[in-house]
């Protein structure tokens, strides 16, 4: 019959194995989330960085430029991009360590997550600041319009055309800004809703509804105040931080379980055979010089024979006490 101590030890071992299996499954899922969220952060950050460069070109040397940098620097900062790339590698190491139950890889995985979390937290606190921008600051964008079309400002011309096409706007407040700030007789062709060579000239003289009626100033102002993509990026950043805390907690638990499982088990004392007396048998001899009585000799011999017969191998040891 199995002893209660042995049954409890087996039950604890089975429970520990089930807990380790559950922890490994959770870490697999979290590492997969790390890959997906890091890739999403890199993709959204690349999209925002492209449009941010366009806005910074149009708003150079204005308060809008400073406000755009304050708003988007935490999202497109090189440190955040590098951390996301490094997180993908760390997630791969964590997956391998969880798969092989390797204590060294899991320890490196935990330390890397802790360092990444501290860097993200410090970068977020250091770069967080509310931009101070007003709608009246949009008028300063007109200072860049007279350089449109000049030979040495081809990059500015390309930026204006790209922004007006992508955001479907024209001028700063209205398309007439091009006529006021430049020597042009009609707006650029990038202001047309249906673009083709000479479309702006045709729309200026025939149908003004073919031009974008909204200015680019409000578009830039809305971009600086924050876009949906920026909100998604902030949500992903917070989600990655929470997932890192959960992953570090699960990794510590898994490390403890694996370390405890690899310790040598404590020996379980064997059970004495049923039907035998566990205590030692003690035979008392009379003091020296006195001969034992003949009546007491036979019962002692019979007791000794009975104890020897009860043991299957006849190796029962008796403790002999010598009375001095």
């Amino acid at each position: 019959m199995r002893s209660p101590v042995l049954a409890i030890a087996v039950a604890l071992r089975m429970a520990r194995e089930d807990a380790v299996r559950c922890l490994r499954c959770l870490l697999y899922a979290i590492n997969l989330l790390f890959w997906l969220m890091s890739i999403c952060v890199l993709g959204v950050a690349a999209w925002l960085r492209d449009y941010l460069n366009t806005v910074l070109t149009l708003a150079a040397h204005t308060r809008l430029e400073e406000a755009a940098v304050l708003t988007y620097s935490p999202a497109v900062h090189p440190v955040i991009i590098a951390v996301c790339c490094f997180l993908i590698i760390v997630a791969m190491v964590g997956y391998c360590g969880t798969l092989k139950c390797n204590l060294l890889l899991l320890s490196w995985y935990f330390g890397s997550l802790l360092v990444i979390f501290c860097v993200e937290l410090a970068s977020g606190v250091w770069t967080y600041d509310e931009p101070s921008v007003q709608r009246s600051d949009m008028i300063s964008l007109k200072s860049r319009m007279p350089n449109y079309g000049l030979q040495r400002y081809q990059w500015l011309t390309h930026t204006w055309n790209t922004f007006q096409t992508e955001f479907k706007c024209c001028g700063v407040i209205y398309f007439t800004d091009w006529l006021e700030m430049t020597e042009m007789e009609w707006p650029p062709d990038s202001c047309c809703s249906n673009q083709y060579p000479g479309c702006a000239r045709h729309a200026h003289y025939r149908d003004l509804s073919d031009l974008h009626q909204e200015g680019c100033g409000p578009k830039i102002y809305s971009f600086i105040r924050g876009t949906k993509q920026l909100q998604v990026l902030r949500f992903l950043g917070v989600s990655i931080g929470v997932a890192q805390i959960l992953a570090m907690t699960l990794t510590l638990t898994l490390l403890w379980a694996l370390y405890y499982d690899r310790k040598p088990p404590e020996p379980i004392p064997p059970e004495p055979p049923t039907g035998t007396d566990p205590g030692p048998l003690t035979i008392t001899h009379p003091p020296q010089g006195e001969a034992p009585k003949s009546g007491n000799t036979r019962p002692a011999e019979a007791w000794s024979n009975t104890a020897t017969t009860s043991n299957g191998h006849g190796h029962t040891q008796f403790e002999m006490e010598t009375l001095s």
Side-chain angles (χ1 to χ4, degrees):
M1 181 180 295
R2 180 180 297 178
S3 66
V5 177
L6 183 59
I8 293 175
V10 172
L12 290 177
R13 187 175 185 86
M14 293 178 62
R16 188 165 60 250
E17 290 177 355
D18 293 339
V20 168
R21 191 179 300 109
C22 181
L23 289 173
R24 293 175 64 186
C25 292
L26 290 175
L27 284 176
Y28 289 149
I30 290 179
N31 287 321
L32 180 61
L33 286 178
F34 280 153
W35 290 333
L36 296 177
M37 289 189 294
S38 298
I39 293 174
C40 290
V41 168
L42 292 176
V44 176
W47 184 89
L48 287 177
R49 193 177 185 88
D50 186 26
Y51 280 98
L52 179 62
N53 291 332
T54 301
V55 171
L56 293 179
T57 301
L58 298 179
H61 308 293
T62 63
R63 293 184 59 184
L64 295 176
E65 179 185 16
E66 181 182 356
V69 171
L70 289 177
T71 302
Y72 288 91
S73 59
V76 299
H77 199 278
V79 174
I80 301 300
I81 304 301
V83 163
C84 289
C85 295
F86 184 61
L87 184 59
I88 296 176
I89 301 175
V90 171
M92 295 178 64
V93 174
Y95 181 85
C96 295
T98 306
L99 181 64
K100 298 181 179 180
C101 293
N102 191 298
L103 296 179
L104 181 61
L105 290 179
L106 289 174
S107 300
W108 187 88
Y109 174 69
F110 172 79
S112 300
L113 285 180
L114 183 60
V115 172
I116 291 175
F117 180 78
C118 293
V119 170
E120 290 175 345
L121 184 62
S123 179
V125 172
W126 177 55
T127 57
Y128 179 79
D129 194 4
E130 286 291 338
S132 58
V133 60
Q134 300 177 357
R135 288 187 175 271
S136 58
D137 296 328
M138 296 184 301
I139 306 300
S140 59
L141 293 172
K142 293 184 177 182
S143 61
R144 309 283 289 175
M145 298 181 71
N147 298 325
Y148 181 89
L150 299 181
Q151 186 66 28
R152 60 177 180 172
Y153 290 103
Q154 289 296 321
W155 51 272
L156 182 61
T157 302
H158 175 73
T159 302
W160 268 112
N161 291 334
T162 302
F163 192 87
Q164 291 185 142
T165 301
E166 292 291 336
F167 286 86
K168 297 180 180 181
C169 57
C170 185
V172 176
I173 305 299
Y174 198 54
F175 68 87
T176 55
D177 295 334
W178 289 108
L179 308 181
E180 298 174 1
M181 302 301 299
T182 65
E183 298 179 355
M184 301 170 59
E185 298 181 2
W186 48 80
D189 290 340
S190 58
C191 290
C192 298
S193 56
N194 184 20
Q195 294 185 16
Y196 58 88
C199 63
R201 179 176 180 274
H202 181 271
H204 183 69
Y205 288 107
R206 299 288 181 88
D207 188 4
L208 294 177
S209 62
D210 291 339
L211 300 175
H212 298 306
Q213 303 299 312
E214 188 176 1
C216 296
K219 300 283 187 179
I220 295 177
Y221 179 80
S222 300
F223 181 83
I224 293 174
R225 297 297 298 177
T227 59
K228 293 182 179 179
Q229 290 78 9
L230 182 60
Q231 301 301 326
V232 170
L233 203 58
R234 290 174 176 172
F235 174 77
L236 288 175
V238 174
S239 301
I240 289 177
V242 174
Q244 286 175 347
I245 295 176
L246 181 59
M248 287 188 289
T249 304
L250 294 176
T251 304
L252 275 181
T253 308
L254 181 60
L255 283 171
W256 176 83
L258 293 176
Y259 176 76
Y260 185 84
D261 190 51
R262 295 186 181 185
K263 290 177 61 178
E266 297 181 358
I268 301 176
E271 292 185 356
T274 58
T276 60
D277 188 4
L281 295 178
T282 304
I283 298 178
T284 305
H285 292 274
Q288 295 181 358
E290 293 184 3
K293 296 181 180 180
S294 60
N296 296 335
T297 304
R298 185 172 299 276
E301 291 177 356
W303 184 25
S304 176
N305 293 335
T306 303
T308 306
T309 306
S310 63
N311 191 347
H313 302 283
H315 293 292
T316 305
Q317 297 180 358
F318 300 96
E319 293 185 0
M320 310 295 294
E321 289 185 358
T322 304
L323 299 177
S324 56

